[in-house]
Amino acid sequence: MTKARTQPSNKTGIVLKISIAFIVLLAIVLYKLNDHFKQEKILISQSQIRNKLVATKTSVSSQISSLRNVLSSYQSELSENKINWVQLDPFFSIALAKKNNGGATYKITQYVGRSGSLGERWNAAYLEQALSLQPPNSDQPVVAQLFQDKSGSKFLSLRFDLSEDRAVLVVGAADYFQKFFDLERGN
């Protein structure tokens, strides 16, 4: 009787060992598959981020190039009735600046704010003081600068160097640009 009892328990023991080995093997396979799918998701996400980054860079680059072309027509004189504000949208202020103090700073020579906008209340002295116009950088043809007014509203200024001694600035609400990037981020 002892032989008869040991044989079934040996079979049960072997089945149990095989079952445990199978469960461990199955767990390893599932873990590796999960890891593989996580890596694949990460690679897809990285690829999507790269594509969005390239698209955003291309879009911003083309917008800046277009804006530079529009602003080149205003490099000699500013007159509100001659400014096409639709082309400059979302910017509501434009100013001409000249290098001052041997090229160390800029001095705003002309300023125009769009009628009915916040820029209409500003003047050249206010904008110059708000920006504390940074010295020109020869290696950067476009300089972006953020500033705030007393109420806390934030604005973005873009300065385009048109020549050795002249630049043109445009100012718009920073909230508009933040919303643009938030929309791009949400896609």
Side-chain angles (χ1 to χ4, degrees):
M1 271 199 130
T2 58
K3 268 188 168 182
R5 285 190 178 186
T6 57
Q7 278 185 337
S9 72
N10 281 343
K11 287 182 181 181
T12 306
I14 291 173
V15 169
L16 183 62
K17 288 178 185 176
I18 292 173
S19 297
I20 291 173
F22 181 71
I23 290 172
V24 169
L25 183 64
L26 184 61
I28 291 172
V29 167
L30 288 175
Y31 175 78
K32 289 294 184 179
L33 279 174
N34 187 35
D35 190 43
H36 173 73
F37 288 123
K38 279 183 183 178
Q39 287 178 353
E40 193 172 304
K41 273 185 169 179
I42 289 171
L43 290 175
I44 289 171
S45 296
Q46 287 175 343
S47 175
Q48 288 174 345
I49 289 171
R50 273 190 222 106
N51 290 342
K52 285 184 179 183
L53 185 61
V54 167
T56 302
K57 281 182 178 180
T58 303
S59 174
V60 168
S61 176
S62 69
Q63 291 294 327
I64 287 177
S65 177
S66 174
L67 184 59
R68 179 190 303 272
N69 290 337
V70 169
L71 293 176
S72 67
S73 66
Y74 301 120
Q75 66 183 336
S76 60
E77 185 180 337
L78 295 178
S79 173
E80 185 176 6
N81 60 352
K82 293 183 181 179
I83 295 173
N84 186 346
W85 289 107
V86 173
Q87 286 181 320
L88 293 177
D89 197 43
F91 299 101
F92 53 79
S93 293
I94 184 170
L96 290 177
K98 188 173 185 172
K99 288 183 185 175
N100 205 9
N101 298 331
T105 59
Y106 278 105
K107 173 85 174 144
I108 294 182
T109 57
Q110 291 183 5
Y111 173 81
V112 176
R114 186 178 192 172
S115 294
S117 73
L118 186 62
E120 182 180 38
R121 293 182 276 173
W122 297 349
N123 60 29
Y126 172 79
L127 186 60
E128 191 173 315
Q129 189 270 334
L131 293 172
S132 301
L133 295 173
Q134 300 174 346
N137 290 337
S138 60
D139 62 340
Q140 293 182 349
V142 179
V143 177
Q145 188 175 354
L146 290 170
F147 68 96
Q148 274 183 256
D149 64 3
K150 289 180 182 178
S151 68
S153 298
K154 295 177 184 173
F155 303 96
L156 174 70
S157 166
L158 294 180
R159 184 182 75 215
F160 294 86
D161 290 333
L162 298 175
S163 66
E164 290 290 322
D165 65 337
R166 296 184 59 80
V168 64
L169 292 95
V170 288
V171 179
D175 295 344
Y176 172 84
F177 298 100
Q178 184 62 45
K179 289 176 188 174
F180 172 76
F181 287 110
D182 288 344
L183 287 174
E184 285 296 316
R185 192 179 309 139
N187 289 335

